[in-house]
Amino acid sequence: MKKLYLASLGCVKNLIDSEVMLGKLKDEYTLTQNPDEADLIIVNTCGFIQSAKEESIETILELAQHKKPNALLAVTGCLSERYKDILPKEIPEVDIWSGVGDFNRIDELIKNKKSLFSPNVYLIHNEERIITGSGYHAYIKLSEGCNQKCAFCAIPNFKGRLQSRPVEEIIEEIKKLKEKGYKDFSLASQDSSSYLRDYGIRDGLERLIDEIDKIEGITVRILYLYPSTTTKRLIRKIFASKNVQNYFDMPIQHITDRMLKIMKRGSNSKRIKELLNEMKKEFSFVRTSVIVGHPGETQEDFEELKKFLEEYKFDRVNVFAYSDEEDTAAFKRKDKLPPEVIEKRVDKISKTVEKTTVESLKKYLNKTCKCYLDGLTDDGLFYSVRPKMWTPEVDGDILVNESEIENLKVGNLYDVKITELAGNQLIGKIINEG
């Protein structure tokens, strides 16, 4: 068989699209980790912010140098879509260009050596995927597009408005993957709490949770909730679910009313704080993202954000420096901050987050939690396990240096007693089958 090298950049939604492409090409290509021997190289790009765009361009140019004679280089995804009128002219080393509408037609494009930018975004409909990175965990896409109008975000410009997958289709996908041995799932979209609102259904995520709870033996967490469409009722539904974990991934981006209005977040500080406090009424995991240095951010706004992060103590926080993106409302503002000011603020917020993350880890000390076994660490000295509540890769792991049972298996659940916090790393021992 011919060999395929795939570089999937950006978010997990991109990863799902990459897995669809692998499924379409599985009969003709086998994966390789060496681009020098690949007959086909695919780069699935990210075009969200400047750093992601730079990474995508660098990856394309680097892999173009590895392309052997007669091999093909295909570029797909968000960056490709966003700059479809520019990139094909600027990077002639690429043989095939496609955007965000044709992941399920990649086999046709490769066969015909044809570039294509379909007008509509691709929404997965249970096409066969080749799941990567895990034999027991898989990501599930809830929807595509976004109806929000955040001042800093260009995604709706090239991903379009919200398109939700039917509940039945998502449940069918989970069941099929369960039959293949998958038991742990993360649900993702641009705005998961708006799921089914494009059909006029305001409690779509709650309806989906009801159906998920009818499936035995699975773990589920929901990624990317949006403050203006998340409700206390949804939070309580998650608390009551037998399968959906108490995991709340809700990017707040800022906390002052002034900045939330400038950023067009559709919510205010009081509502965000009420939702976040509701999430902590039971033992839970709360992740967020903030943007530092957005146009209009005063020193007072920054200090209030920093103070709030210190007080709330999120389990995890992604800190982003403002990225000035064309085709956004923020791009047109005249009150942009100097790069050196943004850099200093990011540094201060990052140091705050480092401290609050360690504080959040302390709540696990001397507790026993059910964890999935991911295998040995690279140095072979520890087992790496992950609490059911945490998302793979992004939330870290717990190191295990002792086990009271033998014949441990990757993907199985075990009861892990957390015994120590070394710096920012939890350490524990396996005490029982989970």
Side-chain angles (χ1 to χ4, degrees), residues 343-376:
E343 186 177 346
K344 287 180 181 178
R345 290 183 181 181
V346 168
D347 184 60
K348 287 182 179 179
I349 289 285
S350 296
K351 288 177 179 176
T352 294
V353 167
E354 286 177 13
K355 294 177 183 177
T356 58
T357 299
V358 171
E359 286 298 310
S360 76
L361 291 172
K362 290 180 180 178
K363 70 184 182 182
Y364 290 89
L365 283 172
N366 301 315
K367 282 188 166 57
T368 297
C369 58
K370 294 190 181 300
C371 299
Y372 283 108
L373 177 68
D374 282 324
L376 287 168

Side-chain angles (χ1 to χ4, degrees), residues 1 3 74 79 142 179 192 237 241 250 293 297 299 307 360 366 379 381 402 421 425:
M1 291 181 75
K3 294 185 177 181
L79 183 80
L142 295 181
E179 290 175 1
S192 295
K237 171 68 77 170
S241 172
M250 188 176 75
E297 184 187 64
Q299 185 65 30
K307 180 183 177 183
S360 76
N366 301 315
D379 57 18
L381 298 178
E402 185 181 354
L421 177 60
Q425 180 65 60

Side-chain angles (χ1 to χ4, degrees), residues 302-363:
F302 169 74
E303 293 295 343
E304 190 167 337
L305 174 62
K306 182 171 175 288
K307 180 183 177 183
F308 179 70
L309 294 176
E310 289 171 345
E311 293 174 348
Y312 188 79
K313 294 181 175 60
F314 288 91
D315 292 282
R316 303 289 187 277
V317 182
N318 290 332
V319 181
F320 293 99
Y322 168 73
S323 180
D324 205 24
E325 299 298 318
E326 68 272 24
D327 300 327
T328 65
F331 185 79
K332 302 171 186 175
R333 293 184 66 94
K334 305 298 184 183
D335 50 357
K336 294 173 185 174
L337 278 65
E340 59 271 20
V341 172
I342 297 176
E343 186 177 346
K344 287 180 181 178
R345 290 183 181 181
V346 168
D347 184 60
K348 287 182 179 179
I349 289 285
S350 296
K351 288 177 179 176
T352 294
V353 167
E354 286 177 13
K355 294 177 183 177
T356 58
T357 299
V358 171
E359 286 298 310
S360 76
L361 291 172
K362 290 180 180 178
K363 70 184 182 182

Side-chain angles (χ1 to χ4, degrees), residues 64-178:
Q65 296 178 11
H66 288 271
K67 190 174 67 165
K68 69 181 185 180
N70 300 319
L72 295 175
L73 173 58
V75 175
T76 67
C78 295
L79 183 80
S80 181
E81 180 73 36
R82 189 173 179 185
Y83 300 104
K84 60 187 176 184
D85 296 327
I86 301 173
L87 289 178
K89 301 172 186 175
E90 296 293 326
I91 313 180
E93 296 93 332
V94 175
D95 301 293
I96 298 165
W97 290 94
S98 184
V100 296
D102 299 289
F103 298 111
N104 61 328
R105 300 177 64 186
I106 189 65
D107 51 339
E108 298 175 32
L109 303 187
I110 299 303
K111 181 179 179 181
N112 298 319
K113 297 181 182 179
K114 176 184 176 183
S115 295
L116 180 66
F117 289 93
S118 291
N120 299 315
V121 67
Y122 163 73
L123 180 62
I124 185 172
H125 288 295
N126 282 2
E127 287 86 351
E128 184 180 356
R129 289 193 282 147
I130 303 297
I131 308 298
T132 59
S134 175
Y136 73 92
H137 171 268
Y139 291 99
I140 305 291
K141 187 177 287 192
L142 295 181
S143 61
E144 265 298 357
C146 184
N147 288 349
Q148 310 300 340
K149 298 179 180 178
C150 300
F152 51 84
C153 184
I155 288 178
N157 295 337
F158 55 89
K159 282 282 185 124
R161 294 183 62 78
L162 179 69
Q163 297 180 69
S164 301
R165 299 173 65 195
V167 169
E168 299 78 16
E169 191 174 286
I170 292 170
I171 295 301
E172 180 185 355
E173 182 178 12
I174 292 174
K175 287 180 177 178
K176 284 183 177 179
L177 287 171
K178 187 190 172 197

Side-chain angles (χ1 to χ4, degrees), residues 209-337:
I209 291 171
D210 284 337
E211 296 305 311
I212 286 172
D213 277 346
K214 295 176 183 178
I215 305 173
E216 296 296 328
I218 63 170
T219 304
V220 176
R221 64 199 66 76
I222 302 168
L223 311 183
Y224 311 124
L225 302 176
Y226 196 90
S228 66
T229 51
T230 298
T231 64
K232 290 183 179 180
R233 177 174 159 174
L234 172 61
I235 294 167
R236 290 191 288 267
K237 171 68 77 170
I238 291 172
F239 281 150
S241 172
K242 73 171 188 177
N243 289 334
V244 179
Q245 301 299 295
N246 295 350
Y247 185 97
F248 302 98
D249 176 18
M250 188 176 75
I252 61 170
Q253 309 303 8
H254 220 286
I255 198 59
T256 70
D257 283 336
R258 182 177 170 279
M259 284 309 301
L260 291 169
K261 185 175 181 179
I262 287 175
M263 297 167 90
K264 299 186 177 182
R265 294 290 288 166
S267 193
N268 57 39
S269 178
K270 180 175 181 290
R271 174 180 169 78
I272 288 173
K273 289 177 180 178
E274 286 177 351
L275 291 172
L276 291 171
N277 289 332
E278 189 75 21
M279 291 170 185
K280 285 207 168 182
K281 285 188 176 179
E282 292 191 18
F283 189 82
S284 60
F285 188 102
V286 185
R287 165 183 277 280
T288 197
S289 299
V290 296
I291 294 175
V292 179
H294 189 283
E297 184 187 64
T298 64
Q299 185 65 30
E300 291 74 20
D301 291 318
F302 169 74
E303 293 295 343
E304 190 167 337
L305 174 62
K306 182 171 175 288
K307 180 183 177 183
F308 179 70
L309 294 176
E310 289 171 345
E311 293 174 348
Y312 188 79
K313 294 181 175 60
F314 288 91
D315 292 282
R316 303 289 187 277
V317 182
N318 290 332
V319 181
F320 293 99
Y322 168 73
S323 180
D324 205 24
E325 299 298 318
E326 68 272 24
D327 300 327
T328 65
F331 185 79
K332 302 171 186 175
R333 293 184 66 94
K334 305 298 184 183
D335 50 357
K336 294 173 185 174
L337 278 65

